[in-house]
Each structure stands twice: as structure tokens, then as C-alpha cells.
Amino acid sequence: MKMAEKKIKAIGVLTSGGDAPGMNAAVRAVVRHGLTKGMKVFGIKRGYSGLIDEEIIEMKAGNVSGILSLGGTVLGTARCKEMRTPEGIARAVEVCNKYGIEGLVVIGGDGSYRGAEKLANEGINVVGVPGTIDLDIACTEYTIGFDTAVNTAMEAIDKVRDTSSSHERCSIIEVMGRNAGYIALWCGIANGAEDVLLPEKYDYDEQKLIDNIIDNRRRGKTHHIIVNAEGVGHSASMARRIEAATGMETRATILGYMQRGGSPTCKDRVYASTMGCLAVDLLAEGKTKRVVSYANGKFRDYDINEALAMTKEIDPYQIEICSSLSHNYYKTEEAALDVDEEL
Ligand code: ATP
């Protein structure tokens, strides 16, 4: 330990923003690794609201028994307006001081990091852990919950696809992700969707979709799956317009909150556990204003402001292959046939 670093005796952990499967694995890791490091660990209920309202319990190893396989977050989560005010921050700091909480692990998204940064400015050491199914945190290639959510969505889409084929329907399946298209893109590839609508790319050219459906129909395809991202939305009205234009029965299915629940996958449990431990290690080293990340095959950490200033782009190569594997190959085959015929 360097001379300037103070040894942290007590830390707190909270989950904030939208819940995500795997958050419990991260909470468990913070509690158990913190105890291993000789720290007192406090669990803070309902995110920043619970901090301000003093809903705080001292955690022992047994408090996190049996939670690894549970979806949601046993600590609960909330959106807390008060944290956006100077009074709310002052109150949160006061409560931390009252309990002797010198370090805080905040599991959540960008919004939660902004709150954490303000607490750090008031002397509470903070480390953020990326928890969101949307994968929309720029500094990291992995966020807790994405893997489970995308697997849940994939399984649901497989099922809708079965019935769409039997009934020769077009299905528009809306997946979550807020303004990010990661869940939609991954499902587009994993489910072999005919079309994928991403908020980052969609040009609102419905005629192109209609032409694709008619084209596929002509070639004898029995179904047409469109994976639509939440950020594009309007699946029900889109289905009505597509049915009217193509004559193909078209149904919209909005998967909704089922994607946020369920037992976390192995990857979410392992990565969330690793990130929880890393957050504790950073606090133990006296670090603050850090966020944990997974990038280029390694777990690492960034300065919170640097992380908040980063942007990331949905992988253009993944978009290209998604399109190539859906309907474009027909066009290539057809072009080849045309050439053969000309010869
Ligand atoms: P998700 O992306 O999963 O919804 P998030 O952490 O981005 O997660 P938000 O609702 O944006 O979700 O933020 C969670 C909480 O963090 C807010 O309810 C609020 O208490 C706090 N917070 C957000 N932005 C700020 C801010 N600028 N200053 C202080 N606190 C903030």
C-alpha cells in the first residue's frame, strides 16, 4: 500500500437504475470479497433512495447465501430524484459518514455513475460496476445482464419463429435495449432474422421491408422475422401497415420485461463476480472515481469521468454479417443465376 492511501474499514454496496440478471452475483462478490479483505460491508437497499432513507444492513457472508442463481437484485433498485439535488448528495454523504462507509460500490448504468461521481467529490471513495441489460456503457464490452437478456430474447424468438413458419406469418418481435440496438443485433444474428431494425441505423424505409417480405414470399419462405429494437419501437402499427401492404398476416410481439428477469447465465455470474471483486480490490487500494470494465479480453478500470465521456459504436462488421446472412444472399444467388442464364 502506498503511503498516501488510507485503509478503508467499511464499504457499502448498492444496485441502481434498471435491474439486471447477475447483479446478485456482483453484490455477493462485493460482500464476500470485502469480508475476506477484513472490511465491514453494508448492503444499501433500493439504490440511492435507500442510502438517503438509511435502509442499510450490515452484511455477513450468510446474507448473500443462495442468491447467485437469482434474477433481479436482492437489494432492490430505484430511481432517486433526490440524488440529483445538492441536498440529496449532502444527505447521502451524511449517512455514509454516520455508518462509517468510506467506500461505495455502485452497480448500475451511466446515470448511477453520475451520482457516484458527485459522492466522490464529497470524499466518499466510489467504484462503479456496469449493470444493465442494454450493453450501452461505452467503456466496456460487457455489462452485467446482457448475456442473460439476449439468451432469453433469443429463446423467445425461436418459439415465435416456429409458430410464424406454421402459420406463414410475418412476425415483428420487439426486444429491449433502450436507445441501443445490441440486443436486437445479437438476436438478429442468433435467430437468423430476415430483417433487423436498429436505432443506430434504421432509416424508416418501410417500403424496403415490404419489398423484402414480398421477395421472400415469392421465393417460398414461409415466415419473415423482423427483430425490432425498443429504440425504434412502434411494432404494432408497423405490423398493421406491413400486413396491409403485403397481404401476409403480420403480428407484433413485444417481449418486454421478461428479458430483464430470470436466472443469470454462467457468463453473467462469472463476469459479475469478477467485477464485484475487482471493485473491492480498487477500494482496498485506496482508489476512487473508478469504473470497472471488460475490454480487449481483460477486466480493467477507468476514471469515471473518462468513462462517461466515451462513446461507442455498434459494430459495423456485425451489422454487415447480420444483413449478409439474412436476405442479401438471395440477391447474390439470383444475380449469379441471371448471369448463368445470360451465358
Ligand atoms: P439503467 O441504464 O440500467 O437505467 P442508470 O444507472 O443509467 O441505469 P438512471 O435512472 O439514469 O439509471 O440513474 C439511476 C439513478 O442514479 C437515478 O435515479 C439517480 O438517483 C442517480 N443519478 C442519475 N443521474 C444523476 C446525476 N446527474 N446526478 C446525481 N445522481 C444521478
Side-chain angles (χ1 to χ4, degrees), residues 16-20 23 48-49 77-85 89 107-116 118 131-134 136-137 178 260:
S16 171
D19 70 325
M23 279 184 165
Y48 291 121
S49 300
T77 182
R79 309 215 188 251
C80 169
K81 284 200 190 116
E82 243 183 305
M83 260 305 275
R84 296 172 189 268
T85 65
I89 301 289
I107 305 165
D110 281 348
S112 306
Y113 292 174
R114 290 200 171 85
K118 289 181 182 164
T132 169
I133 65 163
D134 304 335
D136 59 352
I137 300 177
R178 293 228 282 210
R260 284 244 293 254

PDB file of all heavy atoms in Angstrom, residues 16-20 23 48-49 77-85 89 107-116 118 131-134 136-137 178 260, ligand 1:
ATOM      1  N   SER A  16     -28.516   0.190  -8.668  1.00  0.00           N
ATOM      2  CA  SER A  16     -29.229   1.420  -9.030  1.00  0.00           C
ATOM      3  C   SER A  16     -29.633   1.374 -10.504  1.00  0.00           C
ATOM      4  O   SER A  16     -29.015   0.682 -11.312  1.00  0.00           O
ATOM      5  CB  SER A  16     -28.273   2.587  -8.757  1.00  0.00           C
ATOM      6  OG  SER A  16     -28.759   3.797  -9.245  1.00  0.00           O
ATOM      7  N   GLY A  17     -30.686   2.114 -10.860  1.00  0.00           N
ATOM      8  CA  GLY A  17     -31.170   2.104 -12.249  1.00  0.00           C
ATOM      9  C   GLY A  17     -31.971   0.832 -12.511  1.00  0.00           C
ATOM     10  O   GLY A  17     -32.534   0.239 -11.583  1.00  0.00           O
ATOM     11  N   GLY A  18     -32.006   0.391 -13.762  1.00  0.00           N
ATOM     12  CA  GLY A  18     -32.768  -0.816 -14.091  1.00  0.00           C
ATOM     13  C   GLY A  18     -32.094  -2.055 -13.538  1.00  0.00           C
ATOM     14  O   GLY A  18     -30.865  -2.141 -13.533  1.00  0.00           O
ATOM     15  N   ASP A  19     -32.884  -3.028 -13.047  1.00  0.00           N
ATOM     16  CA  ASP A  19     -32.261  -4.259 -12.547  1.00  0.00           C
ATOM     17  C   ASP A  19     -31.734  -5.089 -13.722  1.00  0.00           C
ATOM     18  O   ASP A  19     -32.131  -4.862 -14.869  1.00  0.00           O
ATOM     19  CB  ASP A  19     -33.254  -5.076 -11.701  1.00  0.00           C
ATOM     20  CG  ASP A  19     -34.358  -5.694 -12.531  1.00  0.00           C
ATOM     21  OD1 ASP A  19     -34.781  -5.055 -13.515  1.00  0.00           O
ATOM     22  OD2 ASP A  19     -34.798  -6.807 -12.215  1.00  0.00           O
ATOM     23  N   ALA A  20     -30.853  -6.014 -13.425  1.00  0.00           N
ATOM     24  CA  ALA A  20     -30.274  -6.851 -14.478  1.00  0.00           C
ATOM     25  C   ALA A  20     -29.847  -8.177 -13.864  1.00  0.00           C
ATOM     26  O   ALA A  20     -29.295  -8.192 -12.754  1.00  0.00           O
ATOM     27  CB  ALA A  20     -29.057  -6.152 -15.102  1.00  0.00           C
ATOM     28  N   MET A  23     -26.794  -9.072 -11.179  1.00  0.00           N
ATOM     29  CA  MET A  23     -26.491  -8.074 -10.146  1.00  0.00           C
ATOM     30  C   MET A  23     -26.264  -8.753  -8.799  1.00  0.00           C
ATOM     31  O   MET A  23     -25.412  -8.344  -8.013  1.00  0.00           O
ATOM     32  CB  MET A  23     -27.628  -7.054 -10.027  1.00  0.00           C
ATOM     33  CG  MET A  23     -27.569  -5.955 -11.082  1.00  0.00           C
ATOM     34  SD  MET A  23     -28.857  -4.731 -10.824  1.00  0.00           S
ATOM     35  CE  MET A  23     -28.242  -3.393 -11.883  1.00  0.00           C
ATOM     36  N   TYR A  48     -29.926   4.621  -4.482  1.00  0.00           N
ATOM     37  CA  TYR A  48     -29.630   5.858  -3.738  1.00  0.00           C
ATOM     38  C   TYR A  48     -30.772   6.243  -2.792  1.00  0.00           C
ATOM     39  O   TYR A  48     -30.543   6.910  -1.781  1.00  0.00           O
ATOM     40  CB  TYR A  48     -29.342   7.006  -4.710  1.00  0.00           C
ATOM     41  CG  TYR A  48     -28.046   6.848  -5.474  1.00  0.00           C
ATOM     42  CD1 TYR A  48     -28.034   6.807  -6.873  1.00  0.00           C
ATOM     43  CD2 TYR A  48     -26.827   6.738  -4.809  1.00  0.00           C
ATOM     44  CE1 TYR A  48     -26.835   6.660  -7.576  1.00  0.00           C
ATOM     45  CE2 TYR A  48     -25.635   6.580  -5.503  1.00  0.00           C
ATOM     46  CZ  TYR A  48     -25.650   6.547  -6.881  1.00  0.00           C
ATOM     47  OH  TYR A  48     -24.467   6.395  -7.572  1.00  0.00           O
ATOM     48  N   SER A  49     -32.000   5.809  -3.112  1.00  0.00           N
ATOM     49  CA  SER A  49     -33.135   6.123  -2.218  1.00  0.00           C
ATOM     50  C   SER A  49     -32.896   5.515  -0.850  1.00  0.00           C
ATOM     51  O   SER A  49     -33.136   6.155   0.185  1.00  0.00           O
ATOM     52  CB  SER A  49     -34.439   5.553  -2.783  1.00  0.00           C
ATOM     53  OG  SER A  49     -34.691   6.091  -4.033  1.00  0.00           O
ATOM     54  N   THR A  77     -33.790  -1.956  -6.300  1.00  0.00           N
ATOM     55  CA  THR A  77     -33.209  -0.825  -7.016  1.00  0.00           C
ATOM     56  C   THR A  77     -34.281   0.245  -7.187  1.00  0.00           C
ATOM     57  O   THR A  77     -35.471  -0.044  -7.031  1.00  0.00           O
ATOM     58  CB  THR A  77     -32.611  -1.269  -8.372  1.00  0.00           C
ATOM     59  OG1 THR A  77     -32.010  -0.147  -9.012  1.00  0.00           O
ATOM     60  CG2 THR A  77     -33.650  -1.889  -9.298  1.00  0.00           C
ATOM     61  N   ALA A  78     -33.850   1.454  -7.459  1.00  0.00           N
ATOM     62  CA  ALA A  78     -34.825   2.543  -7.598  1.00  0.00           C
ATOM     63  C   ALA A  78     -34.209   3.666  -8.399  1.00  0.00           C
ATOM     64  O   ALA A  78     -32.991   3.726  -8.585  1.00  0.00           O
ATOM     65  CB  ALA A  78     -35.213   3.060  -6.217  1.00  0.00           C
ATOM     66  N   ARG A  79     -35.053   4.526  -8.898  1.00  0.00           N
ATOM     67  CA  ARG A  79     -34.577   5.783  -9.490  1.00  0.00           C
ATOM     68  C   ARG A  79     -34.861   6.840  -8.416  1.00  0.00           C
ATOM     69  O   ARG A  79     -35.955   6.901  -7.888  1.00  0.00           O
ATOM     70  CB  ARG A  79     -35.310   6.074 -10.784  1.00  0.00           C
ATOM     71  CG  ARG A  79     -35.265   4.847 -11.709  1.00  0.00           C
ATOM     72  CD  ARG A  79     -35.179   5.172 -13.153  1.00  0.00           C
ATOM     73  NE  ARG A  79     -35.323   3.963 -13.951  1.00  0.00           N
ATOM     74  CZ  ARG A  79     -34.339   3.375 -14.637  1.00  0.00           C
ATOM     75  NH1 ARG A  79     -33.136   3.888 -14.653  1.00  0.00           N
ATOM     76  NH2 ARG A  79     -34.560   2.282 -15.327  1.00  0.00           N
ATOM     77  N   CYS A  80     -33.859   7.605  -8.084  1.00  0.00           N
ATOM     78  CA  CYS A  80     -33.969   8.512  -6.933  1.00  0.00           C
ATOM     79  C   CYS A  80     -33.733   9.951  -7.376  1.00  0.00           C
ATOM     80  O   CYS A  80     -32.602  10.339  -7.684  1.00  0.00           O
ATOM     81  CB  CYS A  80     -32.942   8.086  -5.874  1.00  0.00           C
ATOM     82  SG  CYS A  80     -32.717   9.263  -4.545  1.00  0.00           S
ATOM     83  N   LYS A  81     -34.825  10.719  -7.413  1.00  0.00           N
ATOM     84  CA  LYS A  81     -34.732  12.114  -7.889  1.00  0.00           C
ATOM     85  C   LYS A  81     -33.872  12.977  -6.959  1.00  0.00           C
ATOM     86  O   LYS A  81     -33.155  13.864  -7.397  1.00  0.00           O
ATOM     87  CB  LYS A  81     -36.141  12.715  -7.970  1.00  0.00           C
ATOM     88  CG  LYS A  81     -36.929  12.237  -9.172  1.00  0.00           C
ATOM     89  CD  LYS A  81     -38.076  13.205  -9.474  1.00  0.00           C
ATOM     90  CE  LYS A  81     -39.004  12.616 -10.514  1.00  0.00           C
ATOM     91  NZ  LYS A  81     -40.359  12.372 -10.014  1.00  0.00           N
ATOM     92  N   GLU A  82     -33.981  12.686  -5.665  1.00  0.00           N
ATOM     93  CA  GLU A  82     -33.268  13.498  -4.668  1.00  0.00           C
ATOM     94  C   GLU A  82     -31.755  13.535  -4.904  1.00  0.00           C
ATOM     95  O   GLU A  82     -31.103  14.535  -4.596  1.00  0.00           O
ATOM     96  CB  GLU A  82     -33.534  12.895  -3.289  1.00  0.00           C
ATOM     97  CG  GLU A  82     -34.281  13.830  -2.357  1.00  0.00           C
ATOM     98  CD  GLU A  82     -34.455  13.205  -0.991  1.00  0.00           C
ATOM     99  OE1 GLU A  82     -34.999  12.089  -0.914  1.00  0.00           O
ATOM    100  OE2 GLU A  82     -34.021  13.851  -0.011  1.00  0.00           O
ATOM    101  N   MET A  83     -31.221  12.424  -5.437  1.00  0.00           N
ATOM    102  CA  MET A  83     -29.765  12.350  -5.658  1.00  0.00           C
ATOM    103  C   MET A  83     -29.293  13.377  -6.685  1.00  0.00           C
ATOM    104  O   MET A  83     -28.111  13.673  -6.803  1.00  0.00           O
ATOM    105  CB  MET A  83     -29.374  10.951  -6.155  1.00  0.00           C
ATOM    106  CG  MET A  83     -28.822  10.020  -5.126  1.00  0.00           C
ATOM    107  SD  MET A  83     -27.423  10.638  -4.207  1.00  0.00           S
ATOM    108  CE  MET A  83     -26.055  10.212  -5.282  1.00  0.00           C
ATOM    109  N   ARG A  84     -30.225  13.884  -7.464  1.00  0.00           N
ATOM    110  CA  ARG A  84     -29.863  14.876  -8.483  1.00  0.00           C
ATOM    111  C   ARG A  84     -29.787  16.281  -7.890  1.00  0.00           C
ATOM    112  O   ARG A  84     -29.508  17.245  -8.594  1.00  0.00           O
ATOM    113  CB  ARG A  84     -30.876  14.853  -9.631  1.00  0.00           C
ATOM    114  CG  ARG A  84     -30.873  13.527 -10.392  1.00  0.00           C
ATOM    115  CD  ARG A  84     -32.008  13.482 -11.382  1.00  0.00           C
ATOM    116  NE  ARG A  84     -32.149  12.159 -11.973  1.00  0.00           N
ATOM    117  CZ  ARG A  84     -31.557  11.762 -13.098  1.00  0.00           C
ATOM    118  NH1 ARG A  84     -30.822  12.605 -13.781  1.00  0.00           N
ATOM    119  NH2 ARG A  84     -31.734  10.537 -13.553  1.00  0.00           N
ATOM    120  N   THR A  85     -30.069  16.425  -6.584  1.00  0.00           N
ATOM    121  CA  THR A  85     -30.037  17.746  -5.935  1.00  0.00           C
ATOM    122  C   THR A  85     -28.863  17.819  -4.954  1.00  0.00           C
ATOM    123  O   THR A  85     -28.453  16.790  -4.390  1.00  0.00           O
ATOM    124  CB  THR A  85     -31.342  17.996  -5.141  1.00  0.00           C
ATOM    125  OG1 THR A  85     -31.393  17.042  -4.057  1.00  0.00           O
ATOM    126  CG2 THR A  85     -32.585  17.809  -6.006  1.00  0.00           C
ATOM    127  N   ILE A  89     -27.388  14.872  -2.255  1.00  0.00           N
ATOM    128  CA  ILE A  89     -25.974  14.440  -2.170  1.00  0.00           C
ATOM    129  C   ILE A  89     -25.470  14.634  -0.735  1.00  0.00           C
ATOM    130  O   ILE A  89     -24.844  13.738  -0.159  1.00  0.00           O
ATOM    131  CB  ILE A  89     -25.086  15.250  -3.156  1.00  0.00           C
ATOM    132  CG1 ILE A  89     -25.551  15.077  -4.612  1.00  0.00           C
ATOM    133  CG2 ILE A  89     -23.607  14.906  -2.996  1.00  0.00           C
ATOM    134  CD1 ILE A  89     -25.280  13.731  -5.216  1.00  0.00           C
ATOM    135  N   ILE A 107     -23.538  -0.404  -8.430  1.00  0.00           N
ATOM    136  CA  ILE A 107     -23.775  -1.290  -9.578  1.00  0.00           C
ATOM    137  C   ILE A 107     -24.947  -0.709 -10.365  1.00  0.00           C
ATOM    138  O   ILE A 107     -26.068  -0.637  -9.863  1.00  0.00           O
ATOM    139  CB  ILE A 107     -24.095  -2.730  -9.092  1.00  0.00           C
ATOM    140  CG1 ILE A 107     -22.978  -3.241  -8.170  1.00  0.00           C
ATOM    141  CG2 ILE A 107     -24.320  -3.664 -10.287  1.00  0.00           C
ATOM    142  CD1 ILE A 107     -23.339  -4.480  -7.351  1.00  0.00           C
ATOM    143  N   GLY A 108     -24.685  -0.243 -11.579  1.00  0.00           N
ATOM    144  CA  GLY A 108     -25.749   0.391 -12.365  1.00  0.00           C
ATOM    145  C   GLY A 108     -25.215   0.915 -13.676  1.00  0.00           C
ATOM    146  O   GLY A 108     -24.129   0.520 -14.128  1.00  0.00           O
ATOM    147  N   GLY A 109     -25.962   1.835 -14.279  1.00  0.00           N
ATOM    148  CA  GLY A 109     -25.581   2.393 -15.576  1.00  0.00           C
ATOM    149  C   GLY A 109     -24.961   3.773 -15.454  1.00  0.00           C
ATOM    150  O   GLY A 109     -24.581   4.205 -14.353  1.00  0.00           O
ATOM    151  N   ASP A 110     -24.871   4.460 -16.591  1.00  0.00           N
ATOM    152  CA  ASP A 110     -24.247   5.784 -16.644  1.00  0.00           C
ATOM    153  C   ASP A 110     -24.829   6.764 -15.629  1.00  0.00           C
ATOM    154  O   ASP A 110     -24.106   7.532 -14.999  1.00  0.00           O
ATOM    155  CB  ASP A 110     -24.436   6.393 -18.046  1.00  0.00           C
ATOM    156  CG  ASP A 110     -23.443   5.812 -19.041  1.00  0.00           C
ATOM    157  OD1 ASP A 110     -22.493   5.130 -18.613  1.00  0.00           O
ATOM    158  OD2 ASP A 110     -23.630   6.045 -20.249  1.00  0.00           O
ATOM    159  N   GLY A 111     -26.170   6.756 -15.499  1.00  0.00           N
ATOM    160  CA  GLY A 111     -26.841   7.665 -14.556  1.00  0.00           C
ATOM    161  C   GLY A 111     -26.331   7.426 -13.141  1.00  0.00           C
ATOM    162  O   GLY A 111     -26.013   8.375 -12.408  1.00  0.00           O
ATOM    163  N   SER A 112     -26.233   6.162 -12.790  1.00  0.00           N
ATOM    164  CA  SER A 112     -25.766   5.817 -11.438  1.00  0.00           C
ATOM    165  C   SER A 112     -24.321   6.271 -11.233  1.00  0.00           C
ATOM    166  O   SER A 112     -23.936   6.688 -10.131  1.00  0.00           O
ATOM    167  CB  SER A 112     -25.861   4.302 -11.230  1.00  0.00           C
ATOM    168  OG  SER A 112     -27.166   3.869 -11.505  1.00  0.00           O
ATOM    169  N   TYR A 113     -23.517   6.219 -12.293  1.00  0.00           N
ATOM    170  CA  TYR A 113     -22.120   6.677 -12.199  1.00  0.00           C
ATOM    171  C   TYR A 113     -22.069   8.182 -11.925  1.00  0.00           C
ATOM    172  O   TYR A 113     -21.186   8.666 -11.224  1.00  0.00           O
ATOM    173  CB  TYR A 113     -21.358   6.404 -13.499  1.00  0.00           C
ATOM    174  CG  TYR A 113     -21.107   4.947 -13.832  1.00  0.00           C
ATOM    175  CD1 TYR A 113     -20.535   4.604 -15.058  1.00  0.00           C
ATOM    176  CD2 TYR A 113     -21.405   3.923 -12.940  1.00  0.00           C
ATOM    177  CE1 TYR A 113     -20.286   3.279 -15.391  1.00  0.00           C
ATOM    178  CE2 TYR A 113     -21.168   2.606 -13.273  1.00  0.00           C
ATOM    179  CZ  TYR A 113     -20.613   2.285 -14.488  1.00  0.00           C
ATOM    180  OH  TYR A 113     -20.362   0.979 -14.821  1.00  0.00           O
ATOM    181  N   ARG A 114     -23.020   8.914 -12.534  1.00  0.00           N
ATOM    182  CA  ARG A 114     -23.031  10.378 -12.318  1.00  0.00           C
ATOM    183  C   ARG A 114     -23.285  10.693 -10.861  1.00  0.00           C
ATOM    184  O   ARG A 114     -22.638  11.573 -10.280  1.00  0.00           O
ATOM    185  CB  ARG A 114     -24.087  11.039 -13.210  1.00  0.00           C
ATOM    186  CG  ARG A 114     -23.695  11.011 -14.648  1.00  0.00           C
ATOM    187  CD  ARG A 114     -24.391  12.026 -15.541  1.00  0.00           C
ATOM    188  NE  ARG A 114     -23.732  11.984 -16.830  1.00  0.00           N
ATOM    189  CZ  ARG A 114     -24.037  11.113 -17.804  1.00  0.00           C
ATOM    190  NH1 ARG A 114     -25.025  10.268 -17.633  1.00  0.00           N
ATOM    191  NH2 ARG A 114     -23.362  11.098 -18.933  1.00  0.00           N
ATOM    192  N   GLY A 115     -24.219   9.969 -10.255  1.00  0.00           N
ATOM    193  CA  GLY A 115     -24.483  10.133  -8.818  1.00  0.00           C
ATOM    194  C   GLY A 115     -23.244   9.780  -8.007  1.00  0.00           C
ATOM    195  O   GLY A 115     -22.858  10.492  -7.069  1.00  0.00           O
ATOM    196  N   ALA A 116     -22.590   8.685  -8.390  1.00  0.00           N
ATOM    197  CA  ALA A 116     -21.402   8.215  -7.667  1.00  0.00           C
ATOM    198  C   ALA A 116     -20.289   9.257  -7.729  1.00  0.00           C
ATOM    199  O   ALA A 116     -19.597   9.516  -6.735  1.00  0.00           O
ATOM    200  CB  ALA A 116     -20.926   6.890  -8.270  1.00  0.00           C
ATOM    201  N   LYS A 118     -20.552  12.411  -7.929  1.00  0.00           N
ATOM    202  CA  LYS A 118     -20.836  13.520  -7.006  1.00  0.00           C
ATOM    203  C   LYS A 118     -20.497  13.148  -5.562  1.00  0.00           C
ATOM    204  O   LYS A 118     -20.014  13.982  -4.799  1.00  0.00           O
ATOM    205  CB  LYS A 118     -22.296  13.943  -7.136  1.00  0.00           C
ATOM    206  CG  LYS A 118     -22.538  14.642  -8.470  1.00  0.00           C
ATOM    207  CD  LYS A 118     -23.949  15.111  -8.638  1.00  0.00           C
ATOM    208  CE  LYS A 118     -24.094  15.752 -10.017  1.00  0.00           C
ATOM    209  NZ  LYS A 118     -25.477  15.904 -10.409  1.00  0.00           N
ATOM    210  N   GLY A 131     -23.900  -2.361 -14.681  1.00  0.00           N
ATOM    211  CA  GLY A 131     -25.047  -3.261 -14.580  1.00  0.00           C
ATOM    212  C   GLY A 131     -26.187  -2.762 -15.438  1.00  0.00           C
ATOM    213  O   GLY A 131     -26.851  -1.805 -15.070  1.00  0.00           O
ATOM    214  N   THR A 132     -26.386  -3.346 -16.578  1.00  0.00           N
ATOM    215  CA  THR A 132     -27.536  -3.041 -17.433  1.00  0.00           C
ATOM    216  C   THR A 132     -27.632  -4.088 -18.537  1.00  0.00           C
ATOM    217  O   THR A 132     -26.593  -4.516 -19.065  1.00  0.00           O
ATOM    218  CB  THR A 132     -27.442  -1.623 -18.058  1.00  0.00           C
ATOM    219  OG1 THR A 132     -28.442  -1.501 -19.075  1.00  0.00           O
ATOM    220  CG2 THR A 132     -26.100  -1.336 -18.702  1.00  0.00           C
ATOM    221  N   ILE A 133     -28.850  -4.473 -18.885  1.00  0.00           N
ATOM    222  CA  ILE A 133     -29.000  -5.458 -19.972  1.00  0.00           C
ATOM    223  C   ILE A 133     -28.737  -4.817 -21.329  1.00  0.00           C
ATOM    224  O   ILE A 133     -28.577  -5.513 -22.319  1.00  0.00           O
ATOM    225  CB  ILE A 133     -30.411  -6.113 -19.969  1.00  0.00           C
ATOM    226  CG1 ILE A 133     -31.518  -5.086 -20.274  1.00  0.00           C
ATOM    227  CG2 ILE A 133     -30.680  -6.843 -18.674  1.00  0.00           C
ATOM    228  CD1 ILE A 133     -32.840  -5.717 -20.682  1.00  0.00           C
ATOM    229  N   ASP A 134     -28.687  -3.483 -21.375  1.00  0.00           N
ATOM    230  CA  ASP A 134     -28.649  -2.788 -22.675  1.00  0.00           C
ATOM    231  C   ASP A 134     -27.267  -2.750 -23.329  1.00  0.00           C
ATOM    232  O   ASP A 134     -27.159  -2.381 -24.497  1.00  0.00           O
ATOM    233  CB  ASP A 134     -29.139  -1.338 -22.502  1.00  0.00           C
ATOM    234  CG  ASP A 134     -30.525  -1.264 -21.881  1.00  0.00           C
ATOM    235  OD1 ASP A 134     -31.276  -2.242 -22.026  1.00  0.00           O
ATOM    236  OD2 ASP A 134     -30.851  -0.245 -21.245  1.00  0.00           O
ATOM    237  N   ASP A 136     -25.104  -0.595 -23.065  1.00  0.00           N
ATOM    238  CA  ASP A 136     -24.909   0.756 -23.609  1.00  0.00           C
ATOM    239  C   ASP A 136     -23.954   1.613 -22.772  1.00  0.00           C
ATOM    240  O   ASP A 136     -24.106   2.821 -22.689  1.00  0.00           O
ATOM    241  CB  ASP A 136     -26.270   1.465 -23.771  1.00  0.00           C
ATOM    242  CG  ASP A 136     -27.016   1.589 -22.452  1.00  0.00           C
ATOM    243  OD1 ASP A 136     -26.575   1.007 -21.442  1.00  0.00           O
ATOM    244  OD2 ASP A 136     -28.056   2.277 -22.433  1.00  0.00           O
ATOM    245  N   ILE A 137     -22.963   0.982 -22.131  1.00  0.00           N
ATOM    246  CA  ILE A 137     -21.959   1.747 -21.385  1.00  0.00           C
ATOM    247  C   ILE A 137     -20.680   1.714 -22.222  1.00  0.00           C
ATOM    248  O   ILE A 137     -20.162   0.639 -22.543  1.00  0.00           O
ATOM    249  CB  ILE A 137     -21.746   1.169 -19.972  1.00  0.00           C
ATOM    250  CG1 ILE A 137     -23.086   1.236 -19.204  1.00  0.00           C
ATOM    251  CG2 ILE A 137     -20.646   1.922 -19.233  1.00  0.00           C
ATOM    252  CD1 ILE A 137     -23.045   0.639 -17.818  1.00  0.00           C
ATOM    253  N   ARG A 178     -33.354  -0.017 -24.795  1.00  0.00           N
ATOM    254  CA  ARG A 178     -33.491   1.455 -24.802  1.00  0.00           C
ATOM    255  C   ARG A 178     -33.003   2.028 -26.127  1.00  0.00           C
ATOM    256  O   ARG A 178     -33.424   1.565 -27.179  1.00  0.00           O
ATOM    257  CB  ARG A 178     -32.761   2.052 -23.603  1.00  0.00           C
ATOM    258  CG  ARG A 178     -33.455   1.656 -22.305  1.00  0.00           C
ATOM    259  CD  ARG A 178     -33.663   2.816 -21.428  1.00  0.00           C
ATOM    260  NE  ARG A 178     -32.423   3.158 -20.768  1.00  0.00           N
ATOM    261  CZ  ARG A 178     -32.364   3.714 -19.577  1.00  0.00           C
ATOM    262  NH1 ARG A 178     -33.471   3.990 -18.920  1.00  0.00           N
ATOM    263  NH2 ARG A 178     -31.211   3.997 -19.036  1.00  0.00           N
ATOM    264  N   ARG A 260     -35.650  -8.938 -18.687  1.00  0.00           N
ATOM    265  CA  ARG A 260     -34.859  -8.429 -17.555  1.00  0.00           C
ATOM    266  C   ARG A 260     -34.787  -9.431 -16.414  1.00  0.00           C
ATOM    267  O   ARG A 260     -33.983  -9.265 -15.494  1.00  0.00           O
ATOM    268  CB  ARG A 260     -35.476  -7.113 -17.047  1.00  0.00           C
ATOM    269  CG  ARG A 260     -35.199  -5.930 -17.930  1.00  0.00           C
ATOM    270  CD  ARG A 260     -34.366  -4.858 -17.247  1.00  0.00           C
ATOM    271  NE  ARG A 260     -35.056  -4.208 -16.172  1.00  0.00           N
ATOM    272  CZ  ARG A 260     -35.545  -2.978 -16.229  1.00  0.00           C
ATOM    273  NH1 ARG A 260     -35.439  -2.275 -17.328  1.00  0.00           N
ATOM    274  NH2 ARG A 260     -36.130  -2.445 -15.193  1.00  0.00           N
TER     275      ARG A 260
HETATM  276  P1  ATP B   1     -30.010   1.938 -16.498  1.00  0.00           P
HETATM  277  O1  ATP B   1     -29.278   2.309 -17.733  1.00  0.00           O
HETATM  278  O2  ATP B   1     -29.991   0.484 -16.262  1.00  0.00           O
HETATM  279  O3  ATP B   1     -31.366   2.505 -16.344  1.00  0.00           O
HETATM  280  P2  ATP B   1     -28.785   4.031 -14.945  1.00  0.00           P
HETATM  281  O4  ATP B   1     -27.856   3.974 -13.804  1.00  0.00           O
HETATM  282  O5  ATP B   1     -28.290   4.762 -16.163  1.00  0.00           O
HETATM  283  O6  ATP B   1     -29.161   2.524 -15.268  1.00  0.00           O
HETATM  284  P3  ATP B   1     -30.612   6.135 -14.195  1.00  0.00           P
HETATM  285  O7  ATP B   1     -32.059   6.087 -13.876  1.00  0.00           O
HETATM  286  O8  ATP B   1     -30.174   7.051 -15.269  1.00  0.00           O
HETATM  287  O9  ATP B   1     -30.196   4.625 -14.488  1.00  0.00           O
HETATM  288  O10 ATP B   1     -29.796   6.520 -12.868  1.00  0.00           O
HETATM  289  C1  ATP B   1     -30.005   5.818 -11.667  1.00  0.00           C
HETATM  290  C2  ATP B   1     -30.010   6.787 -10.504  1.00  0.00           C
HETATM  291  O11 ATP B   1     -28.740   7.463 -10.432  1.00  0.00           O
HETATM  292  C3  ATP B   1     -31.028   7.920 -10.629  1.00  0.00           C
HETATM  293  O12 ATP B   1     -32.303   7.550 -10.205  1.00  0.00           O
HETATM  294  C4  ATP B   1     -30.411   8.968  -9.702  1.00  0.00           C
HETATM  295  O13 ATP B   1     -30.691   8.672  -8.373  1.00  0.00           O
HETATM  296  C5  ATP B   1     -28.921   8.783  -9.946  1.00  0.00           C
HETATM  297  N1  ATP B   1     -28.465   9.772 -10.953  1.00  0.00           N
HETATM  298  C6  ATP B   1     -28.633   9.740 -12.287  1.00  0.00           C
HETATM  299  N2  ATP B   1     -28.106  10.832 -12.882  1.00  0.00           N
HETATM  300  C7  ATP B   1     -27.607  11.597 -11.878  1.00  0.00           C
HETATM  301  C8  ATP B   1     -26.936  12.853 -11.821  1.00  0.00           C
HETATM  302  N3  ATP B   1     -26.664  13.551 -12.925  1.00  0.00           N
HETATM  303  N4  ATP B   1     -26.570  13.305 -10.609  1.00  0.00           N
HETATM  304  C9  ATP B   1     -26.814  12.606  -9.496  1.00  0.00           C
HETATM  305  N5  ATP B   1     -27.446  11.430  -9.477  1.00  0.00           N
HETATM  306  C10 ATP B   1     -27.832  10.913 -10.643  1.00  0.00           C
END
